[in-house]
Amino acid sequence: MSLPEQHKAIILSSNQSPLDLSVQLIPTPKPTPGSAIVRVLSTYIFPYVADIFTSKRRLLSPIVVPITPGNGAIGRVASVGPDAVSLKEGDFVLIDPNVRARDDPSVTMLPGFMILEPRAQKLMDDEWRNGSYAEYARFPLENLFPLSEKILLEKMSYSVYELNFMTTLIVPFGGLTDIDVKPGETVIVAPATGLFGGSAVPMALAMGARVIAAGRNKERLESMKNNFGTAYGDRLDIVTLVGDVAKDAEALRKATPDGQGADAYVDFSPPAAAGSTHIKSCIMVLKNEGRATFMGGIHGDVSIPYFLVMAKSIRIHGKLMYDRATVVRLIGMAEAGLLKLGKEGDLKVAGSYGLDEIETALEVAAKYPEFGRAVFLAP
């Protein structure tokens, strides 16, 4: 597949308000050793991404400009670097945006989006600056994962947009695998009504767990119960939190099988939840040797029932994103039908837009802050 000399890409020219995005014709990147060029077919638009572009949402450092933004995507390999031994032109792939430094994998960043630790600024400034909001994008070979067209497109009839839900589901899957969630275990997800907390619910269900989805939005929780619960065999219960430690802990415990407590707890608290009481309530409900993983965005301190954690040998993990093996496992679950995408899993495309419609796409995406409805770019 020959690469065009130029291609269309979205360029963010300022990281301050008002939003400054434009579609420009720029040189098409060339493959280098360790990389491949991908023709982007669909890319996920986070509901809050406009606030990141204008620095209204706090990051480790402001997004660098000018830049082509991006998120996880689905695409087709257009050209590979000289050292590729497995990937080839024409391969249908999932594009994992979680780029790691090759000499220190603990240094991670998301091209065209954000750095996840200070040393990653070098990657953002230079080699992996631009993301997937373009017709063509360059990514490391190890960030491209082949997908079975025969199974996913032909047999299961998923669209390239529905497949893109995997790029969000992989985040909670990283935490769930890190605390070794097993089939038949009971997992609390809280808060469960946001983007990543919401995605943890069907992900844990797909892993065979019983799930208790907790949050303050009763209407959204009931919708999840009716949809995700039905899709995965009625293993989902919901608890509406009231903000009282003891009352919430009691309600959560009652929702566990025979009131015996939960095996694991996944937390995706947003920055605004720093003073919330739900973390303490959820930890109080864990069984002996229970596990908790913190994957949210709280920047301050939180209250932990110290003596209880010690007495019950509870393990509390922090988890940033996921590793490469987790992506491979997630794709296998989707291709085996264990992880349900599209309508079968109550995952619906709220809209798809071309590059020239980026501002409309961002406005529509902001209307769907919860998981299960999403907007995509179709470069």
Side-chain angles (χ1 to χ4, degrees):
M1 181 183 304
S2 61
L3 294 174
E5 289 298 317
Q6 295 182 310
H7 74 293
K8 288 183 178 180
I10 291 173
I11 304 297
L12 176 69
S13 299
S14 170
N15 58 19
Q16 302 296 317
S17 186
L19 187 65
D20 188 359
L21 290 169
S22 61
V23 178
Q24 298 182 21
L25 200 60
I26 63 174
T28 302
K30 307 299 182 187
T32 56
S35 75
I37 307 302
V38 182
R39 177 66 173 94
V40 180
L41 302 177
S42 75
T43 187
Y44 203 107
I45 300 179
F46 287 146
Y48 52 78
V49 74
D51 287 342
I52 289 179
F53 293 162
T54 55
S55 300
K56 292 180 182 178
R57 193 178 181 99
R58 180 180 175 183
L59 296 177
L60 187 61
S61 66
I63 192 168
V64 296
V65 291
I67 198 170
T68 295
N71 293 119
I74 301 296
R76 194 172 296 280
V77 176
S79 184
V80 297
D83 56 342
V85 298
S86 179
L87 280 175
K88 60 185 182 301
E89 292 181 14
D91 280 352
F92 185 55
V93 294
L94 179 148
I95 303 172
D96 170 21
N98 187 26
V99 172
R100 305 159 185 83
R102 285 169 174 157
D103 54 346
D104 186 349
S106 68
V107 179
T108 58
M109 53 84 71
L110 308 178
F113 196 48
M114 68 174 74
I115 63 171
L116 299 174
E117 78 114 281
R119 290 178 296 165
Q121 191 66 54
K122 177 178 175 59
L123 302 177
M124 178 69 85
D125 289 343
D126 301 317
E127 193 69 10
W128 305 113
R129 182 184 190 87
N130 295 312
S132 58
Y133 285 17
E135 292 179 319
Y136 291 88
R138 185 166 63 89
F139 276 89
L141 292 172
E142 61 267 28
N143 284 69
L144 304 177
F145 294 82
L147 301 172
S148 172
E149 293 184 74
K150 184 175 181 180
I151 294 174
L152 296 172
L153 296 183
E154 298 175 19
K155 181 180 177 180
M156 295 181 172
S157 300
Y158 289 138
S159 69
V160 293
Y161 310 111
E162 291 168 330
L163 292 176
N164 223 317
F165 279 106
M166 286 193 287
T167 63
T168 298
L169 287 158
I170 189 60
V171 176
F173 193 37
L176 291 163
T177 56
D178 188 53
I179 56 173
D180 194 25
V181 169
K182 300 179 180 67
E185 290 192 317
T186 299
V187 179
I188 297 172
V189 177
T193 54
L195 178 61
F196 290 109
S199 65
V201 173
M203 193 67 249
L205 289 168
M207 295 171 72
R210 296 185 181 93
V211 178
I212 299 170
R216 294 175 179 269
N217 188 331
K218 183 178 181 180
E219 182 179 353
R220 175 57 186 155
L221 289 171
E222 289 177 343
S223 176
M224 295 175 79
K225 171 71 173 175
N226 293 334
N227 296 308
F228 294 152
T230 301
Y232 287 96
D234 199 26
R235 286 181 280 113
L236 173 62
D237 288 299
I238 60 174
V239 171
T240 304
L241 301 175
V242 298
D244 180 282
V245 173
K247 290 181 179 178
D248 286 340
E250 181 182 6
L252 288 164
R253 186 175 297 279
K254 285 183 178 179
T256 66
D258 297 325
Q260 295 299 304
D263 300 285
Y265 159 43
V266 181
D267 184 89
F268 272 100
S269 295
S276 177
T277 59
H278 74 275
I279 295 175
K280 186 173 183 179
S281 297
C282 292
I283 290 176
M284 288 170 62
V285 179
L286 291 176
K287 297 176 182 177
N288 284 342
E289 299 190 349
R291 298 96 70 198
T293 181
F294 289 178
M295 301 191 74
I298 294 178
H299 293 273
D301 298 334
V302 297
S303 177
I304 300 294
Y306 183 102
F307 187 81
L308 180 71
V309 169
M310 181 278 297
K312 298 177 73 173
S313 300
I314 292 171
R315 289 175 288 154
I316 299 176
H317 295 224
K319 182 63 177 178
L320 175 66
M321 304 295 278
Y322 47 87
D323 58 27
R324 195 172 190 278
T326 306
V327 184
V328 174
R329 183 177 167 190
L330 179 109
I331 293 171
M333 291 177 66
E335 293 180 347
L338 298 173
L339 176 62
K340 304 177 189 298
L341 306 172
K343 295 179 181 178
E344 185 183 13
D346 192 42
L347 305 181
K348 299 178 182 177
V349 177
S352 59
Y353 298 86
L355 296 178
D356 294 327
E357 303 170 291
I358 180 60
E359 293 193 12
T360 299
L362 294 178
E363 291 174 3
V364 177
K367 298 177 181 179
Y368 299 95
E370 70 282 352
F371 182 71
R373 307 292 180 270
V375 171
F376 302 93
L377 270 184

